[in-house]
Amino acid sequence: MDDDGTRGVRGPSADKAPGPAVPPPPAHPPRVPNPATGAHPADRHPGGRNEGLRYPADRHPGPSAEQRRTGAASAPSMEHRPAGPAPAVPPTAPPPPGSPVDAWLRTPRPQQEPGVWRYGYTPPPPEESERVSDRSLLVGALIALLSALLLWSLWRNGYLPYRLVPLKLFTPGEWWNPGTSGGPRTIEGSDALTVYEAILFGLLAYGCGRIGNFSELFRRHVVERGQPFLALAAAAAAGLTQLLVWKETLPVVRPVLVLVASVAGGEIYQSQTVVNVIYGLIAAAVLWPFARLGRWHDLIATRWGSGSAPAPADTSAPATTTSADQWPELRAAGWTDAAETLTAEVRTGRMNDVDVARLRHAWALATRRPDRLGPLAESVLRTGGAAALHPSGHRDLPRRTARHDVLTGQVRIGRCADDPHNPYIRRGTGLALDPALLGTSLLAVGPPGAGKSARLIRPVVEALALRALAGQAAVLAVGGAGEPLGPDDAFDVVVRVGHPGSAHDIDLYGGTTDPDEAAAVLAEGLVGDVGSLDSRRAATVLAQLLGPYRTAYGHFPSVPELRELLDGTPAAFAGLRASLESAGHHAMLRELDARARQAGGPGDPAPALADRVALLDRSTFAGFFATGPDARPFELRALGQYPLRVRVDLPERGHAEASRLLTRLLLAQFTAITAARTDTSLFVCLVLDDATHAVTAETVRGIRRLRSVNAGAVLALRTVDDVPEALHTPLLGAVGCTAAFSGITTWDGKRFAEAWGKEWVETREVAQHTVFADQPFTRALHALRKLVTGKAVTTDAVTVRQVERERWSASELAYGVPAGHAVLSLTTVQGEHAPPLLVHLDG
């Protein structure tokens, strides 16, 4: 991704990159989509799917040759300051309303477990151990209140014996009348009894509140309703309490007056002012807890705007502490002019989320090569958010069908259901996929109509296409003609196999020039699914033909020519032999002779290879798989070098077997090419909308190697039985992410249950035992209870054990997954795991 590139290239390859060309800046900036809601941008770029396609010679940002010749004079001058602490820069004006990218950049994205939608994530409240029902809560509070009133009534009326004994133990005896129930004799005794009763009333009120769980009752039925109901309820309770206090129903006023008199002396009450102050303090002390419970201060501050104003921004803070929309990485490196330009572009709505991700990635690449920092900054000053464009010149997709966070590379595909199988911390949270998960490869299994294509495959292809526009990924999407993988103008290359209007063909040999490598991949695609044939022997047969043919003619054979050679047609062999003899290639003649000797022998794979090649030798595909100088194939090897968006449409309806052969061939080429590349900075992903009969033993081994070379594969199957039985376990072990959609069979569910393993769970077993009474009165009560309820009196015996059980059983996966849901198990390339989660798919 760079300003350097080419235009008008029909078949990209590593050794066919034309000279550089400078794209003109767009006349009008694209509309900015709303990243938070996944709004669909209305920006459409001119040109078809192949118009304006450029393949840069280097993905690192920097000026092209034309820019160095003509662009320097027109570029605004900019003083380069070396990296280091940047000087204080006045903050940019606050963002205007309606600038979604600004808010999108400021939204936090905390690090979370694999698969959590990080954009604006807020953790759920702590899990409640066991929620008591409202009825039980109200009954318990009422019983506690009535019990407290009964105890207080018995106390006040003297029905509790020895109620004054604790007080008499700590006070002089002359204050009291004789006897354990004797009352006070002196004024001091009356005052002590007043304070004693107040202390006991406080303890009784506290115990009643704790036993009756009044705090939970208040939180559930008052606090959860919010303001102003909370403030009004607290005010009503405060008014009732004040009335009871001043009516001396609650022992508050007299004990306070007694304590003040005992400390300051009784003469203090000779001043009416002092008495009024004491009464005011009592009223304030009664009101204070209700003001705290009702949050009166917050309500008044909200209604009257008397809350404390936020502290002004510290303009002297270093540039590294600025917000994300002010491009702190550029300011820290000293490129404040470029940072100011991009900040203005963001806040005026001239940049979208893809522009931000693309320029951030371009800056990260440029920091690895300091000589490119200056040209990138100059390009930013000249074109703003259009700097370092994708080779196609596009800045967004024509339409989005899912929510994307391009900054993290996530695509939201659903929401974790509120189900006991899901951990509490994951219930209700969004579930998203990103390159860290797709790098371990994904296997999705579900019957037709379960939503694999629309709710999983399409969002994943969109996310990878957006990441390709940001210069960070390349995607190859393979599906049947008419499958919903995206519109044509959302891709750089569209290959319609068998369609006469297709601008590109498929290279059967993967763009390689090595006959052995081409033979190995082609053999895997042709007969890799035939269990009775050894693909290595088939590769040897193909190498014995491809090597001599390329040596003689400079290119590999076309489909009809390869079929004739595999069939052993004498004319084809004679013509090839004559060409080799005239050129003096004796080594290749020996290869050709070896093939002639082995032809027709027992176990010769050539007939099977010829039969498979015959599937492509049809009038529909005439000239489509051509080779030679006039060929126009798309070489899969370009995916590992450029951020391309490629879609391959297969003719599944009329040529189902040929489509499966091509799917198998593309998968084999992809695993071989990505494993052999040296530059793994670009994430490359293959998406197969239907991988039926495409997986072979060799491709399973190739899928295992993808995560180590920053690549991944997404495979969709109708059932696991679409893969040979011997590969069921290796395939499930090779992929890190698996998805079981609703409607799978119990046989498929069993394989997923075995792959996901077991976990330790706590079980509670309750056994009821009949209670046999020995006493006549107890037997009579039990008989009466049985007569009323119709059930015998029993007691429960609870046994708690730790047992190991499957995370999801086969029957649960087959019959317990609702429609529109899927169970996903995720693993990152770093080895982090997420348990199988039941997800409601809304991608």
Side-chain angles (χ1 to χ4, degrees):
M1 182 189 67
D2 200 332
D3 289 337
D4 298 344
T6 63
R7 289 187 179 270
V9 180
R10 299 177 64 185
S13 62
D15 55 352
K16 296 181 181 179
V22 182
H28 302 284
R31 292 185 182 179
V32 182
N34 191 340
T37 60
H40 301 159
D43 175 53
R44 296 295 182 105
H45 298 276
R49 54 184 170 82
N50 295 318
E51 294 179 3
L53 179 61
R54 296 175 288 116
Y55 298 98
D58 195 340
R59 290 195 307 273
H60 297 285
S64 65
E66 187 69 19
Q67 286 175 321
R68 287 191 292 269
R69 290 194 300 269
T70 62
S74 60
S77 60
M78 179 182 63
E79 178 186 358
H80 170 63
R81 288 177 287 272
V89 178
T92 313
S99 179
V101 176
D102 189 6
W104 173 74
L105 270 172
R106 293 172 180 266
T107 303
R109 297 166 174 83
Q111 291 290 339
Q112 292 297 322
E113 297 179 0
V116 175
W117 174 249
R118 292 168 51 190
Y119 179 80
Y121 173 80
T122 55
E127 182 179 9
E128 298 179 359
S129 56
E130 187 174 353
R131 184 180 176 93
V132 182
S133 64
D134 292 343
R135 179 179 179 181
S136 300
L137 199 63
L138 290 172
V139 170
L142 182 61
I143 292 175
L145 180 61
L146 294 177
S147 300
L149 292 176
L150 177 61
L151 287 175
W152 184 245
S153 177
L154 294 175
W155 167 269
R156 293 296 299 270
N157 294 302
Y159 289 107
L160 295 180
Y162 310 107
R163 63 190 185 96
L164 298 179
V165 172
L167 180 59
K168 292 180 179 181
L169 292 177
F170 296 96
T171 54
E174 59 268 16
W175 291 3
W176 310 98
N177 292 320
T180 56
S181 59
R185 179 189 299 177
T186 62
I187 297 178
E188 290 82 358
S190 298
D191 293 343
L193 179 60
T194 300
V195 176
Y196 180 58
E197 287 182 347
I199 295 174
L200 290 180
F201 179 81
L203 294 176
L204 181 61
Y206 176 78
C208 173
R210 292 298 300 272
I211 295 174
N213 205 1
F214 279 87
S215 60
E216 175 65 18
L217 186 66
F218 179 78
R219 183 191 65 81
R220 187 179 301 182
H221 295 281
V222 180
V223 176
E224 289 184 355
R225 295 193 178 187
Q227 298 287 12
F229 182 82
L230 175 60
L232 293 176
L240 178 61
T241 305
Q242 288 281 10
L243 179 63
L244 296 177
V245 166
W246 297 113
K247 289 290 185 179
E248 295 190 0
T249 304
L250 301 179
V252 176
V253 177
R254 287 179 58 83
V256 172
L257 296 177
V258 169
L259 289 176
V260 172
S262 64
V263 174
E267 298 81 3
I268 193 174
Y269 294 118
Q270 295 179 0
S271 173
Q272 186 62 35
T273 303
V274 173
V275 173
N276 293 337
V277 170
I278 294 175
Y279 284 167
L281 292 176
I282 293 174
V286 173
L287 285 177
W288 180 77
F290 294 99
R292 290 290 301 274
L293 290 175
R295 301 172 185 173
W296 294 352
H297 179 270
D298 297 340
L299 180 62
I300 294 173
T302 303
R303 292 299 175 90
W304 298 98
S306 59
S308 58
D314 186 8
T315 58
S316 62
T320 53
T321 62
T322 57
S323 58
D325 65 321
Q326 298 185 27
W327 302 84
E329 60 272 15
L330 272 69
R331 298 180 187 272
W335 302 100
T336 54
D337 294 339
E340 289 293 337
T341 300
L342 294 179
T343 301
E345 291 272 305
V346 168
R347 295 188 174 181
T348 55
R350 292 195 297 268
M351 289 180 63
N352 59 16
D353 53 349
V354 179
D355 294 332
V356 174
R358 185 186 68 250
L359 288 173
R360 282 195 169 191
H361 178 67
W363 182 262
L365 291 179
T367 53
R368 303 174 189 173
R369 301 180 63 177
D371 59 310
R372 297 188 177 271
L373 291 175
L376 176 61
E378 292 177 1
S379 178
V380 168
L381 287 176
R382 184 171 60 257
T383 60
L389 273 180
H390 184 263
S392 65
H394 294 178
R395 298 173 65 178
D396 204 348
L397 297 179
R399 186 165 64 93
R400 302 188 189 183
T401 61
R403 294 183 60 185
H404 300 271
D405 185 17
V406 188
L407 205 59
T408 58
Q410 287 189 317
V411 53
R412 190 180 188 274
I413 64 171
R415 173 181 50 83
C416 295
D418 188 5
D419 187 86
H421 287 93
N422 294 341
Y424 173 78
I425 196 67
R426 300 299 297 268
R427 297 175 190 173
T429 61
L431 189 131
L433 298 176
D434 55 42
L437 297 171
L438 298 178
T440 63
S441 298
L442 170 66
L443 176 66
V445 178
K452 299 188 302 298
S453 298
R455 301 184 179 184
L456 179 65
I457 301 298
R458 174 70 180 271
V460 168
V461 172
E462 279 186 4
L464 294 171
L466 289 172
R467 202 162 179 83
L469 290 177
Q472 304 175 40
V475 57
L476 172 62
V478 181
E483 294 295 335
L485 296 180
D488 291 353
D489 48 0
F491 296 90
D492 302 315
V493 177
V494 177
V495 181
R496 293 185 174 91
V497 180
H499 193 282
S502 179
H504 296 276
D505 301 339
I506 290 181
D507 188 355
L508 295 179
Y509 307 100
T512 183
T513 58
D514 185 2
D516 293 330
E517 181 181 351
V521 175
L522 185 58
E524 197 66 31
L526 292 176
V527 295
D529 61 328
V530 181
S532 59
L533 287 180
D534 187 0
S535 59
R536 290 175 295 182
R537 290 194 61 188
T540 302
V541 171
L542 288 172
Q544 290 173 344
L545 298 175
L546 297 181
Y549 193 95
R550 180 172 179 80
T551 303
Y553 301 108
H555 58 83
F556 290 120
S558 62
V559 170
E561 294 168 338
L562 180 60
R563 181 183 180 183
E564 291 180 353
L565 291 173
L566 290 172
D567 283 333
T569 305
F573 267 85
L576 181 56
R577 181 182 298 275
S579 298
L580 292 175
E581 290 176 349
S582 62
H585 297 295
H586 301 289
M588 293 296 102
L589 283 172
R590 287 194 296 270
E591 289 286 328
L592 195 61
D593 292 338
R595 172 84 288 269
R597 289 193 304 269
Q598 297 171 5
D604 183 19
L609 291 170
D611 292 340
R612 289 300 178 88
V613 173
L615 295 174
L616 304 179
D617 190 14
R618 295 289 189 270
S619 58
T620 304
F621 307 125
F624 198 85
F625 305 106
T627 58
D630 297 332
R632 50 176 187 175
F634 167 73
E635 297 178 1
L636 203 62
R637 195 174 300 273
L639 280 175
Q641 302 167 358
Y642 310 112
L644 292 176
R645 301 165 295 164
V646 183
R647 194 188 77 203
V648 178
D649 294 342
L650 301 175
E652 290 185 346
R653 296 180 180 177
H655 304 273
E657 194 62 31
S659 298
R660 294 174 181 176
L661 187 152
L662 292 175
T663 303
R664 190 163 53 249
L665 178 62
L666 289 173
L667 178 58
Q669 288 183 357
F670 179 82
T671 56
I673 291 173
T674 53
R677 63 180 183 148
T678 56
D679 183 9
T680 60
S681 59
L682 197 69
F683 178 73
V684 185
C685 189
L686 169 67
V687 181
L688 297 182
D689 189 53
D690 184 7
T692 303
H693 300 297
V695 179
T696 64
E698 185 61 32
T699 54
V700 168
R701 286 188 287 267
I703 290 174
R704 288 198 187 99
R705 296 191 295 264
L706 291 180
R707 68 178 67 186
S708 62
V709 292
N710 196 22
V714 179
L715 311 177
L717 294 171
R718 295 182 177 89
T719 174
V720 181
D721 290 331
D722 289 339
V723 177
E725 185 176 359
L727 298 179
H728 290 175
T729 301
L731 178 61
L732 289 172
V735 297
C737 303
T738 50
F741 284 72
S742 60
I744 64 173
T745 63
T746 53
W747 291 274
D748 289 343
K750 179 181 178 181
R751 298 181 181 96
F752 279 106
E754 292 175 351
W756 292 337
K758 300 180 179 180
E759 63 178 346
W760 289 97
V761 297
E762 183 180 278
T763 61
R764 296 169 60 90
E765 296 179 358
V766 180
Q768 293 184 342
H769 303 283
T770 304
V771 178
F772 298 96
D774 297 331
Q775 302 298 326
F777 180 72
T778 307
R779 286 199 297 270
L781 289 178
H782 287 184
L784 178 62
R785 179 176 176 181
K786 184 176 182 181
L787 180 64
V788 173
T789 62
K791 297 180 180 180
V793 179
T794 60
T795 182
D796 294 339
V798 182
T799 304
V800 180
R801 295 187 304 174
Q802 291 285 338
V803 297
E804 193 177 19
R805 287 184 178 176
E806 292 177 331
R807 301 178 185 271
W808 281 83
S809 66
S811 59
E812 287 176 330
L813 289 173
Y815 305 109
V817 180
H821 290 66
V823 181
L824 277 80
S825 175
L826 306 175
T827 305
T828 65
V829 291
Q830 291 81 17
E832 299 182 57
H833 295 270
L837 302 171
L838 179 63
V839 181
H840 175 253
L841 300 171
D842 55 9

